[in-house]
């Protein structure tokens, strides 16, 4: 079993806390993605798991055993870095074979493993080449090959695709997912790219400032972010936010601010009625705002007259940008919407899809 567990793990550099009270269980065979902005501690977490960095506090378990004091070479964990770190003077075959030669495996076995890895990665034709003769994507495959031949219990990936161009990144993403299916090995993957995280991860862990903000299945993080940070980080374009106040009126609960009033659906009252008077942040995703001409369920309370600042067409998606109460919004509307830049239209908010966060704590209220 190669379950990885981090139990109250923390890492300090002097007084600076890089990773703070990190608790996470990654079951055997799972593809787990750590995602968060630059400097939030992703690499540090991986390096602690690999044994390249001491743990300041807490415990790391691999397959049920504490590995805090186990040297990296005894951990049975392979790490793939952003920089491929290939040996320029060795050809592809020898680069992949390198970790096995160090372990002094028999020549036959080395050859078998290298050829198998090369086949999985589709680089059998490149084995004689030197790294300088390869494309970025091929180099990254060689780096992965070097990890695969070790047949580790756990793979760690630190932004392995970020040196590739956009198209190659998408292609390698698909191959990584296939690789995981084929090998069934526990994989922990670090990225700051939320799209990559959402498409690859069985479990996605959103980090900020050394802490876990939320973890779960990608659709759960998207549909029900538990705090403002996760709400703003997951999703593209980012969620629209508007600071308001929760106001209890005779006919229901309203979100209000100057030049803005929106009645929440029946039932909201029960959940957040007792937060009346609290400053909140309303969140709504671009696809939950409609051009009124194509909306069902428009009412005077959820409909707003706006001026379209910009209409943007990206392939099959049409985005319109506008402001409400002095705040920028973006809506993803039906391609057949005729809303053009400069035009006044009415937009409808799907109030069932609203997210409401406590402005002070950032916690989800509704
Ligand atoms: N050896 C070190 N000494 C002091 N501070 C460090 C050291 N290594 C990392 N840090 C700090 O710890 C924090 C987390 O660093 P880490 O490299 O884990 O971030 P990251 O999430 O991987 O960021 P990125 O996306 O930029 O790679 C950063 O603020 C960094 O400056
Ligand atoms: Mg990093």
């Amino acid at each position: 079993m190669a379950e990885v567990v981090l139990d109250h793990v923390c890492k300090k550099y002097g007084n600076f806390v890089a990773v703070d009270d990190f608790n996470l269980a990654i079951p055997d065979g799972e593809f787990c993605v750590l995602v968060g902005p630059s400097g939030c501690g992703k690499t540090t977490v991986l390096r602690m798991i690999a044994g390249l960095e001491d743990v300041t506090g807490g415990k790391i378990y691999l397959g049920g055993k504490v590995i805090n004091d186990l040297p990296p070479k005894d951990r049975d964990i392979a790490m793939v870095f952003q920089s491929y770190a290939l040996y320029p003077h060795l050809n592809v075959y020898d680069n992949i074979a390198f970790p096995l030669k160090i372990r002094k495996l028999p020549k036959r076995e080395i050859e078998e493993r290298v050829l198998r890895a090369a086949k999985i990665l589709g680089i059998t034709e490149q084995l004689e080449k030197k790294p300088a003769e390869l494309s970025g994507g091929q180099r990254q495959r060689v780096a992965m090959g070097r990890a695969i031949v070790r047949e580790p219990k756990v793979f760690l990936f630190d932004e392995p695709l970020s040196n590739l161009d956009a198209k190659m990144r998408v292609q390698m993403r698909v191959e990584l997912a296939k690789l995981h299916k084929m090998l069934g090995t526990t994989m922990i993957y670090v990225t700051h790219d939320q799209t990559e995280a959402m498409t690859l991860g069985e479990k996605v862990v959103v980090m900020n400032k050394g802490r876990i903000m939320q973890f779960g299945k990608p659709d759960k993080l998207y549909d029900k972010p538990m705090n403002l940070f996760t709400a703003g980080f997951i999703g593209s374009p980012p969620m629209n936010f508007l600071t308001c106040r929760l106001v209890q009126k005779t006919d229901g609960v309203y979100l209000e601010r100057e030049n803005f009033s929106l009645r929440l659906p029946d039932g909201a009252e029960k959940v957040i009625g007792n937060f009346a008077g609290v400053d909140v942040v309303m969140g709504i995703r671009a696809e939950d705002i409609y051009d009124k001409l194509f909306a069902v369920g428009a009412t005077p309370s959820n409909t707003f007259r706006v001026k379209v600042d910009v209409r943007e067409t990206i392939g099959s998606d049409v985005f319109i940008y506008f402001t409400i109460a002095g705040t920028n919004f973006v809506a993803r509307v039906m391609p057949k919407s005729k809303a053009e830049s400069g035009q006044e239209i009415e937009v409808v908010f799907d109030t069932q899809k609203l997210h409401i966060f406590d402005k002070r704590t950032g916690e989800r209220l509704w």
Side-chain angles (χ1 to χ4, degrees), residues 264-278:
L264 295 179
D266 298 334
E269 200 168 347
K270 266 197 255 117
V271 186
I272 52 172
N274 51 343
F275 290 96
V278 168

Side-chain angles (χ1 to χ4, degrees), residues 73-89:
K73 66 175 174 50
D74 299 331
R75 291 193 183 195
D76 229 347
I77 292 175
M79 188 152 166
V80 178
F81 301 90
Q82 172 180 353
S83 62
Y84 326 117
L86 303 178
Y87 300 103
H89 58 288

Side-chain angles (χ1 to χ4, degrees), residues 39 42-44 82 158-159 190:
K42 306 180 293 294
T43 297
T44 307
Q82 172 180 353
D158 193 358
E159 313 228 14
V190 156

Side-chain angles (χ1 to χ4, degrees), residues 120-151:
I120 290 173
L121 295 163
I123 49 174
T124 309
E125 308 293 305
Q126 324 289 339
L127 288 173
E128 299 301 321
K129 286 189 182 169
K130 295 274 171 63
E133 301 169 90
L134 302 175
S135 73
Q138 289 167 336
R139 278 179 223 172
Q140 192 52 269
R141 266 172 252 200
V142 177
M144 282 183 206
R146 203 169 43 186
I148 290 174
V149 289
R150 288 180 49 191
E151 299 178 358

